[in-house]
Amino acid sequence: MDAPSELGDFLKSRRAALRPQDVGLATPPTRRRVAGLRREELALLAGVSITHYTRLEQGRAAGVSDSVLEAIARTLRLGEDETAHLKDLARPTGGRRPAVPRAEQATPSARQLLGAMTDVPALVLDRRGDVLAWNRLGHALLAPHLPWQAPDTPGERPNLIRMLFLDERYRDLYTDRKEEALLAVASLRLVAGRHSDDRALAELIGQLSIRSGEFTALWARHPVRTCTSGVKSLHHPAVGALELSFENLCLPGASGQRLIAYTAEPGSPSDAALRLLAGTATPRPPATRPVAEGAV
């Protein structure tokens, strides 16, 4: 990813979303040539020089202070995630060459935890959305059409974001597919801002930009949001409608890996559907040998 252009695109997208009247400025009678606030209006409201702000939109953020970034964020009415994203883009991991992708693994203890969660669908993801491991109910819930061993082959690992745009069977699980796609892109934007030197992440974004017009359109809007918990409405081909709460749990020392677990309200129809699904899941997943560190 080109961090300087990403910074400029992000600022322009948020500036275009604000109207003069939104920030207390009088609307001139003549038609404005730009959507949203002009650069000079934003600079004035943020208390920074127009030259300084213009340099930021050009991606020249060297030496910019937190106070300046926070003033701009307040003026643009950025949320917490968006403000963090602005700072990530202004201070990229740059300078370093893109890192050669390495095959990550779920730790033995994480795999053991997954196996112990017999009544809860769960999986371990890396920061890019690659599935590193899943338990039998997680596999049955999200991707029963894929081989159980798929996460153990780095070159063929399922990626939940890729699947959401390119795998119709996975995409059809979600009742509100458009909202799920927006959340996926917003989360990916946040990760990409923090890891601009991640070659595998850039390749994923490039692939989706080429193969999915929907992804390209959403990416151009520059949404930014983290989603650590919430509710998913699904329609599973085997057990029907499901309303599941989910939690993202960061795994310590695992470089962005996280465990996602899904639960249903006890005694609810979704709880009954999960129990039914558990009865159809693979009873004894075949043992797999951990992938060697650094294998691709």
Side-chain angles (χ1 to χ4, degrees):
M1 289 180 58
D2 184 351
S5 64
E6 289 292 319
L7 173 59
D9 289 345
F10 179 62
L11 287 170
K12 291 172 188 174
S13 71
R14 295 307 185 267
R15 180 164 58 84
L18 278 180
R19 301 172 302 170
Q21 56 267 40
D22 293 334
V23 292
L25 296 178
T27 304
T30 57
R31 185 173 179 177
R32 295 166 64 91
R33 292 185 299 171
V34 297
L37 292 180
R38 297 189 179 100
R39 283 179 177 174
E40 57 269 25
E41 291 170 336
L42 177 56
L44 177 64
L45 291 167
V48 301
S49 72
I50 179 60
T51 300
H52 199 160
Y53 179 76
T54 300
R55 288 172 60 86
L56 282 178
E57 278 204 4
Q58 292 172 345
R60 295 183 291 164
V64 64
S65 67
D66 272 351
S67 61
V68 168
L69 293 175
E70 288 165 3
I72 292 171
R74 285 193 300 272
T75 305
L76 289 173
R77 300 184 177 181
L78 302 186
E80 183 178 347
D81 291 335
E82 293 172 310
T83 300
H85 184 61
L86 173 62
K87 291 180 179 180
D88 287 335
L89 294 178
R91 301 189 182 92
T93 54
R96 301 186 309 201
R97 297 179 61 184
V100 176
R102 301 183 64 188
E104 293 189 49
Q105 299 178 54
T107 64
S109 59
R111 290 176 179 271
Q112 184 174 324
L113 177 60
L114 285 178
M117 301 170 72
T118 55
D119 298 324
V120 176
L123 58 160
V124 173
L125 303 177
D126 68 9
R127 67 188 180 214
R128 307 176 195 100
D130 286 349
V131 179
L132 304 183
W134 45 29
N135 64 9
R136 67 187 187 95
L137 196 47
H139 173 241
L141 176 68
L142 297 179
H145 61 291
L146 298 181
W148 163 264
Q149 301 93 336
D152 295 316
T153 307
E156 300 176 9
R157 274 179 178 156
N159 178 282
L160 295 191
I161 299 176
R162 182 188 294 114
M163 290 168 63
L164 189 59
F165 289 95
L166 303 180
D167 184 332
E168 282 299 320
R169 280 176 288 189
Y170 177 73
R171 181 179 173 85
D172 285 346
L173 281 175
Y174 293 93
T175 303
D176 191 343
R177 293 181 290 181
K178 290 184 178 180
E179 176 65 14
E180 192 66 24
L182 177 60
L183 285 173
V185 173
S187 177
L188 189 63
R189 270 286 188 190
L190 199 60
V191 174
R194 292 172 181 166
H195 302 281
S196 59
D197 63 339
D198 187 327
R199 183 186 299 177
L201 183 61
E203 289 172 354
L204 171 65
I205 294 167
Q207 180 191 64
L208 289 172
S209 298
I210 292 171
R211 298 181 61 185
S212 171
E214 181 186 16
F215 176 87
T216 302
L218 289 173
W219 189 257
R221 289 167 54 183
H222 219 126
V224 177
R225 195 191 326 174
T226 187
C227 191
T228 56
S229 63
V231 176
K232 301 287 187 187
S233 295
L234 308 176
H235 191 278
H236 194 277
V239 297
L242 290 159
E243 193 87 0
L244 301 178
S245 299
F246 71 94
E247 290 285 342
N248 275 281
L249 308 173
C250 294
L251 299 178
S255 185
Q257 291 182 19
R258 63 194 190 277
L259 185 148
I260 301 181
Y262 300 84
T263 59
E265 183 179 351
S268 67
S270 294
D271 184 35
L274 268 189
R275 293 177 187 276
L276 178 61
L277 184 62
T280 68
T282 307
R284 291 184 180 179
T288 56
R289 180 177 301 175
V291 180
E293 181 69 24
V296 293

